Amino acid sequence: HAVTIIGTRQLRELVLATREALMRELLRVHPAWHALSPDQLCHRLASFADLPEPQVFKALRYDRLADARSLTEAIRTLDLLRKLL
């Protein structure tokens, strides 16, 4: 079996694409939430999903995720949020 290694650059691109997918779903399902400030939105999503607010903030707003583990965690969090909407 061939193993595909995804670099940090590709993971960053996946984080951005996953964020965009979450925002599209959020606009569709909870359009009023789109008017919230970024901090309010993080709080609302964390409360809604019963996740720690720092985890949601890091996935949704933090752009300095440097390592593969942090990027992968952000993707998982964003995908979970989108599925819970």
Side-chain angles (χ1 to χ4, degrees), residues 23-73:
M23 296 312 286
R24 282 192 306 272
E25 187 68 8
L26 184 65
L27 185 59
R28 187 182 74 76
V29 178
H30 297 288
W33 291 13
H34 217 331
L36 297 172
S37 74
D39 287 340
Q40 290 171 323
L41 181 59
C42 284
H43 178 75
R44 179 73 55 93
L45 284 168
S47 178
F48 179 80
D50 197 27
L51 292 172
E53 197 166 333
Q55 179 181 343
V56 173
F57 175 86
K58 192 173 181 182
L60 194 61
R61 304 223 21 241
Y62 194 64
D63 289 325
R64 294 182 181 231
L65 301 169
D67 59 77
R69 185 177 188 183
S70 295
L71 291 162
T72 302
E73 182 180 316

Side-chain angles (χ1 to χ4, degrees), residues 1 8 17 19 22 25 35 39 48 54 63 66 76 78 82-83:
H1 295 288
T8 304
R19 280 180 187 163
L22 171 62
E25 187 68 8
D39 287 340
F48 179 80
D63 289 325
R76 285 185 183 142
L78 293 164
R82 186 182 55 78
K83 288 176 181 175

Side-chain angles (χ1 to χ4, degrees), residues 4-12 14 68:
T4 302
I5 297 176
I6 297 177
T8 304
R9 182 177 174 186
Q10 290 90 352
L11 283 172
R12 280 195 185 104
L14 282 173

Side-chain angles (χ1 to χ4, degrees), residues 3 10 15 18 35 42 57 59 75 78 85:
V3 175
Q10 290 90 352
V15 169
T18 308
C42 284
F57 175 86
I75 292 167
L78 293 164
L85 290 177

